[in-house]
Amino acid sequence: MYRYDAGLQGEGEPHFLQLENAPGMEVGIPNHDLIERKVIPKLLEADVIVLVSSLYYFEINAQFKAVIDRFYDYNHELKDKKMVFMMAGYGTQEDMDAVKLHIRKLNQYMRWQMLGEIYADDSWNEEKLANFAKKHMN
């Protein structure tokens, strides 16, 4: 099992490093960064991918989205995986509708099998999340 937390990525080795004036491009992403060296290889060998995000302005957080965007070069190699998606945050199920659509379209595009989705609304702290779990997981 491997865990990567995009939200805790430090400045010393950012998960989305842009190179200005890359040959033939406006912006280039180096192939030696943390995502390329550690995260992508683990994703390629995984049978099940669990994606987790907090709700940020009705969407997944930007650091997490930057990692998902890096899947593009590996679409074919990443196909036929199994996926679980989990989200917690302040708000309602309706507030999470855009994320639900986004994740389901990503799942379809990547040709993954969705094993399950959890959208823990009104779960913005440990106590609220525990209450959500108690109410919905029995």
Side-chain angles (χ1 to χ4, degrees), residues 3-133:
R3 176 184 170 169
Y4 175 73
D5 191 332
L8 296 179
Q9 187 60 42
E11 290 182 23
E13 193 167 12
H15 61 268
F16 187 76
L17 178 64
Q18 295 182 344
L19 301 174
E20 298 297 327
N21 302 316
M25 313 174 148
E26 291 180 24
V27 175
I29 300 172
N31 64 3
H32 62 279
D33 70 346
L34 182 65
I35 300 301
E36 289 291 328
R37 285 192 336 268
K38 294 185 179 178
V39 178
I40 295 295
K42 294 294 186 180
L43 286 170
L44 291 172
E45 68 184 41
D47 295 321
V48 177
I49 297 171
V50 179
L51 302 176
V52 181
S53 179
S54 295
L55 181 67
Y56 285 91
Y57 290 96
F58 312 104
E59 193 45 85
I60 59 177
N61 70 54
Q63 294 89 345
F64 179 51
K65 177 66 166 81
V67 173
I68 290 174
D69 288 347
R70 299 295 296 281
F71 294 177
Y72 187 77
D73 287 342
Y74 301 92
N75 283 343
H76 184 71
E77 293 91 340
L78 287 170
K79 72 176 184 170
D80 301 325
K81 302 281 183 184
K82 295 176 180 149
M83 179 178 113
V84 173
F85 181 76
M86 296 184 281
M87 170 168 272
Y90 183 84
T92 66
Q93 288 294 316
E94 184 178 338
D95 293 332
M96 297 181 180
D97 283 349
V99 176
K100 293 174 187 177
L101 178 61
H102 181 169
I103 293 302
R104 291 171 186 162
K105 293 304 269 183
L106 173 68
N107 184 66
Q108 180 183 23
Y109 181 79
M110 296 300 291
R111 297 164 285 182
W112 291 346
Q113 176 188 353
M114 180 64 79
L115 296 179
E117 299 171 273
I118 298 172
Y119 295 91
D121 56 341
D122 193 30
S123 298
W124 45 271
N125 66 32
E126 196 171 320
E127 180 182 344
K128 293 273 194 177
L129 186 56
N131 288 339
F132 177 90

